[in-house]
Amino acid sequence: MAKYDPSKRKPCWTFVCYPESLPDNWEQQLSDVHVPCCYILHDKDLDEKGEPKKPHYHVIARYESVKTLEQVREDFAFTGIEFFEPVRSFRTMCRYLCHLDEDGKYQYPVDDVKCVSGMSPDFSRKLTKTDELKALQDMTQLVEDNDINEFAALWNYAVKNEPDWLAILSSRASHQSLAQYIRSRRCAEVERQRREREQEAALAL
């Protein structure tokens, strides 16, 4: 019996295909596979000579369980693609869709990534300790500049504008620290208003 090779079974796969080689309804067929997928058209890539590359789609398929290459080929046979590559890091591959870590390449907007079957791409960046401290400083400044008195307001801002902050806000230590800081500001404001009312009442006597 052949020895089992776990490298042949992976939950996440990626492949490249060209628009002219795909059937007209390929996006519907992609959805009909019922596997969470996301994809983007790269039509602004340049080669080493600075010449435009042939437009192509990058596709990521993320199964709920491990699949063999043969199973993946069967699911996506309608594309005519034979070469599928297992994804080692889902987050890194999602970021590659938009070249978020490729300074020398065209930066595609995250909104250009399309999803089917409930796919949820992860564009967050793995932060260093220095990055985390800088982000905490930026969050603190944001709270001060905008007089934020509710943790939810900071969270909603991060969701819409700073997705890298979410990993920090989700950690227990940072969450507690920022929540305590915001609560302290709110209590200080309540105390300030109470003193103002007392002073106004004393002057009215």
Side-chain angles (χ1 to χ4, degrees):
M1 178 181 291
K3 185 177 180 180
Y4 172 68
D5 181 3
S7 68
K8 292 183 179 180
R9 295 172 61 87
K10 298 292 182 181
C12 193
W13 297 78
T14 186
F15 59 94
V16 175
C17 47
Y18 296 91
E20 65 272 16
S21 301
L22 294 169
D24 293 339
N25 66 337
W26 80 276
E27 290 173 298
Q28 180 59 52
Q29 292 191 59
L30 187 70
S31 178
D32 291 343
V33 176
H34 300 302
V35 173
C37 295
C38 60
Y39 58 97
I40 186 173
L41 176 65
H42 278 199
D43 56 359
K44 296 179 176 62
D45 290 359
L46 302 177
D47 60 22
E48 296 178 353
K49 297 181 180 179
E51 297 294 328
K53 284 187 177 181
K54 189 176 180 181
H56 55 281
Y57 285 100
H58 283 278
V59 184
I60 302 176
R62 193 181 197 187
Y63 292 86
E64 294 182 359
S65 60
V66 294
K67 300 295 180 182
T68 64
L69 174 60
E70 290 71 22
Q71 289 173 308
V72 178
R73 281 177 174 166
E74 181 178 354
D75 283 341
F76 298 99
F78 65 90
T79 65
I81 301 299
E82 289 292 325
F83 182 75
F84 295 83
E85 183 178 1
V87 173
R88 295 183 179 181
S89 169
F90 177 67
R91 176 174 55 187
T92 301
M93 190 64 212
C94 287
R95 290 181 63 81
Y96 179 76
L97 292 182
C98 300
H99 293 157
L100 297 180
D101 301 307
E102 308 286 336
D103 293 337
K105 296 183 178 180
Y106 179 80
Q107 303 287 299
Y108 291 93
V110 170
D111 290 343
D112 284 359
V113 177
K114 298 181 179 180
C115 301
V116 298
S117 301
M119 177 62 123
S120 181
D122 183 359
F123 300 111
S124 63
R125 181 168 60 93
K126 186 174 178 60
L127 302 177
T128 66
K129 195 63 178 179
T130 300
D131 290 333
E132 291 181 4
L133 291 174
K134 178 62 168 60
L136 287 171
Q137 290 175 336
D138 291 342
M139 284 185 243
T140 301
Q141 192 64 52
L142 179 75
V143 168
E144 288 293 327
D145 291 346
N146 295 275
D147 194 25
I148 293 176
N149 289 316
E150 294 293 340
F151 184 83
L154 176 60
W155 180 274
N156 290 335
Y157 177 88
V159 169
K160 296 178 181 179
N161 302 283
E162 297 287 351
D164 286 344
W165 287 6
L166 293 178
I168 299 174
L169 292 174
S170 298
S171 70
R172 184 175 180 180
S174 295
H175 179 105
Q176 290 180 337
S177 296
L178 286 164
Q180 179 63 33
Y181 170 65
I182 292 174
R183 190 181 307 114
S184 176
R185 291 188 78 260
R186 185 169 62 246
C187 291
E189 177 60 19
V190 171
E191 177 63 18
R192 184 189 66 79
Q193 292 177 4
R194 184 188 67 80
R195 290 179 179 177
E196 285 184 353
R197 288 195 298 270
E198 288 181 347
Q199 290 175 356
E200 291 175 356
L203 291 174
L205 294 178

